[in-house]
Amino acid sequence: MPFAIALAVVVIELTPLHFLYTGPMLTATPALAAVTMGPKGTISAAAFALAVSVTTATYNEAWGSQMVYTNFLAVFVVSVAAVMGSSAVRTLREKELHQVRRIAVAAQEVLLHPVPPRLGPVRAASMYLAAETGAQIGGDLYEAVQTRYGVRMIVGDVRGKGLPAVRAAAAVLGAFRESVHYEDDLVEVINHCAAALRRGDAVPGAVDQDVLLEGFVTAVVAQVPDTHEVQLVNRGHPPPLVLRQGTVQALMPTSPFPPLGLEDLIIGPPGKTDSYPFAPGDRLLLHTDGVIEARNRDNEFFPLPEAMEELHTRTPHEFLEQLHQGLIRHTDGRLADDVAMILVDRLAEEAGAAAAPSGDRRH
């Protein structure tokens, strides 16, 4: 708008319409620019307005008249005030944004704990990437806990965005962190998560009606016991990937079940725990669909299995960092969905025993 006004002044002054007085229009140019364009944009608009004033005064041979110098003075004064005001507003907004981000980081640390680098028989690492610019938390969730039954993990994805998704993620994580220590069956652990989600939805007014009717959470719960296996319960989530001797394999569920929140669709007996080989040297990746559904400009999905095979020599932390960079390059820095990942390496018995506390070794 400021530049459009300045161009309109040029048209008026260089045509037979130049009898119209355009000084107030040019004076308003930097003031309007200060509203939305920031200090640099305001300076550009002010410089353009001054250039227009010089051009029109020269073209109309108006140099020496009091009106020309009055216009110059008015544009200069308004420009200085506009730049100062724009800088002050920008500083205030940056302070507010910094405070909001600090609050978001604190909320993320409460909701999503960083995974320890060593958990019993495994080395571990985790990563969370929010798709929304400036956001720190969203609807994806993860957790890894060492228990008497082994290392237990969960990765999930809440349908939807915003605060309802964060509330659902908090309910599922809270139920997992509590039940994971006393339920010996993984199916019961994930049933507690589903019950917590239903309790949250039952609170009047706590959840929007659209979210209540269509909301659900996909999740996969994994357990790495002392034996050379990994046990999984999958509720509508992308299957985990295991990297063994440089080759990636998807751990598909033997009896697929719907996501949490859609228990009415379950017909027949409850689900069961699936077991898969997980020997020392194997690597397991639990992830959300934000990884495998990330697309580039050619609408091609991110090749996660190939990326895992290329990074098989990296440590868990380095692996996730390299995977992060690969996602950014693949999507040109524009993630369409949140990303949550947990990566674990199965250690040899001696290494796992050395890393575990004495109480865990007794178990």
Side-chain angles (χ1 to χ4, degrees):
M1 181 63 71
F3 291 97
I5 291 176
L7 289 175
V9 171
V10 172
V11 172
I12 292 173
E13 292 291 342
L14 301 183
T15 64
L17 295 174
H18 66 85
F19 64 87
L20 297 174
Y21 182 49
T22 59
M25 297 176 64
L26 280 179
T27 304
T29 299
L32 289 175
V35 177
T36 58
M37 298 182 66
K40 292 182 179 180
T42 304
I43 293 174
S44 299
F48 189 61
L50 289 173
V52 170
S53 295
V54 172
T55 302
T56 55
T58 302
Y59 180 80
N60 294 318
E61 300 179 352
W63 290 105
S65 64
Q66 183 179 1
M67 185 177 297
V68 170
Y69 298 114
T70 301
N71 290 341
F72 273 115
L73 180 61
V75 171
F76 176 77
V77 172
V78 173
S79 298
V80 172
V83 171
M84 294 177 61
S86 179
S87 299
V89 170
R90 185 183 185 91
T91 301
L92 179 61
R93 289 177 178 174
E94 288 178 350
K95 289 182 179 179
E96 293 176 348
L97 181 59
H98 180 66
Q99 183 177 7
V100 169
R101 286 177 173 171
R102 288 176 56 191
I103 296 173
V105 169
Q108 183 189 36
E109 292 177 351
V110 172
L111 183 61
L112 300 176
H113 304 318
V115 172
R118 294 291 288 267
L119 286 169
V122 301
R123 289 189 306 174
S126 61
M127 178 171 287
Y128 187 93
L129 303 174
E132 186 175 355
T133 303
Q136 298 291 333
I137 54 178
D140 286 8
L141 57 99
Y142 68 83
E143 181 62 289
V145 182
Q146 187 173 356
T147 71
R148 56 179 176 169
Y149 308 107
V151 178
R152 288 181 162 180
M153 301 165 284
I154 184 173
V155 170
D157 188 356
V158 182
R159 180 193 178 277
K161 300 288 185 181
L163 289 179
V166 175
R167 283 195 292 265
V172 172
L173 281 174
F176 174 82
R177 288 166 179 159
E178 178 184 1
S179 61
V180 76
H181 290 285
Y182 64 81
E183 289 289 354
D184 59 352
D185 189 353
L186 281 184
V187 175
E188 290 302 320
V189 171
I190 206 163
N191 286 343
H192 278 283
C193 298
L197 189 64
R198 290 194 300 270
R199 287 194 299 270
D201 292 344
V203 177
V207 182
D208 296 338
Q209 189 65 24
D210 293 341
V211 176
L212 185 62
L213 293 176
E214 301 180 5
F216 57 84
V217 180
T218 67
V220 59
V221 175
Q223 175 175 293
V224 180
D226 292 335
T227 56
H228 294 173
E229 63 178 346
V230 58
Q231 299 164 354
L232 300 175
V233 177
N234 196 325
R235 292 290 297 270
H237 199 75
L241 301 177
V242 64
L243 177 63
R244 179 179 299 114
Q245 297 179 352
T247 303
V248 172
Q249 177 186 358
L251 304 182
M252 304 298 296
T254 57
S255 54
F257 272 78
L260 308 181
L262 301 180
E263 284 74 23
D264 293 340
L265 301 178
I266 298 178
I267 300 176
K272 65 176 183 177
T273 302
D274 296 324
S275 296
Y276 306 88
F278 191 50
D282 291 350
R283 170 167 286 179
L284 178 70
L285 177 67
L286 283 69
H287 60 89
T288 57
D289 58 7
V291 183
I292 56 177
E293 293 182 359
R295 301 172 185 251
N296 59 13
R297 293 183 177 179
D298 298 327
N299 211 30
E300 298 172 338
F301 292 112
F302 180 72
L304 181 57
E306 291 81 356
M308 288 186 64
E309 293 173 358
E310 291 178 1
L311 301 173
H312 70 278
T313 59
R314 303 291 196 276
T315 65
H317 178 74
E318 293 172 346
F319 176 93
L320 292 184
E321 286 295 334
Q322 293 292 325
L323 198 60
H324 175 201
Q325 297 302 322
L327 280 170
I328 296 302
R329 289 192 300 269
H330 185 77
T331 61
D332 292 330
R334 297 186 298 270
L335 288 175
D337 196 4
D338 297 340
V339 169
M341 295 180 285
I342 289 182
L343 184 74
V344 294
D345 286 351
R346 185 65 164 86
L347 300 174
E349 287 80 356
E350 295 80 5
S358 59
D360 291 331
R361 289 201 298 269
R362 285 198 300 271
H363 288 300

